[in-house]
Amino acid sequence: MYSDDWAANLVGLDIHSTNEVRPPWQRLSPGDRVVVVPERYAGMPSGYAFRVAHVDPPRTLVLRQSPPEHPWNGVWSFHVLPCPDGTSRLLARSRTETPDSRALRLATRLGEPVTLVMTRRMLRGIRLRAERASVRNSVP
């Protein structure tokens, strides 16, 4: 997820971000799973993954979670916006429907700050890798 591996690994996720673009990971289609929690973690046999709802390379990626596969009903989207100076901007947006269950509402509220911090770190990680790649590609 290009975030802080140490934070994810602190809770036993065993995540290792890459510092390079991996061609097989660049071909997503609607219905594909984007795994964010590995199989068998915390009693989840299939892990936790979002389904690709929409992809328009290289501009947009929309991920979806919904019942019955997930307790939450929401979307997480990423949008690359070109800027007038030739650079681009990556925006991440998420929206989750408020669950009916009191326990899920509490879990949602407790998870929001973690999601905010990890998303910010992920975006910064992507920026760092993009800037590094840009410098490598511009060196004669």
Side-chain angles (χ1 to χ4, degrees):
M1 297 303 294
Y2 304 114
S3 189
D4 287 330
D5 292 357
W6 69 268
N9 293 332
L10 192 63
V11 295
L13 288 175
D14 194 29
I15 289 176
H16 307 281
S17 295
T18 183
N19 285 319
E20 60 191 27
V21 173
R22 304 258 174 111
W25 297 352
Q26 306 310 304
R27 294 181 274 288
L28 290 173
S29 299
D32 287 351
R33 295 175 78 233
V34 175
V35 177
V36 294
V37 173
E39 294 177 354
R40 293 179 292 286
Y41 178 80
M44 294 182 273
S46 300
Y48 196 92
F50 291 88
R51 293 280 177 186
V52 174
H54 177 76
V55 63
D56 181 16
R59 293 174 207 80
T60 304
L61 173 63
V62 180
L63 304 176
R64 181 92 168 85
Q65 58 181 357
S66 62
E69 189 176 6
H70 296 286
W72 287 277
N73 186 15
V75 295
W76 193 15
S77 63
F78 302 87
H79 309 273
V80 177
L81 304 175
C83 296
D85 65 358
T87 62
S88 58
R89 185 172 183 179
L90 175 61
L91 300 179
R93 300 188 67 168
S94 64
R95 174 108 175 147
T96 303
E97 182 179 89
T98 304
D100 291 332
S101 157
R102 180 177 271 162
L104 283 177
R105 279 197 309 271
L106 177 62
T108 300
R109 295 297 173 242
L110 292 174
E112 285 173 345
V114 174
T115 301
L116 174 69
V117 168
M118 294 306 283
T119 299
R120 179 162 169 73
R121 289 180 177 168
M122 176 185 60
L123 291 171
R124 293 177 94 176
I126 291 170
R127 181 181 73 195
L128 176 68
R129 287 163 177 84
E131 289 172 349
R132 242 188 269 150
S134 177
V135 168
R136 274 195 309 268
N137 292 335
S138 67
V139 174

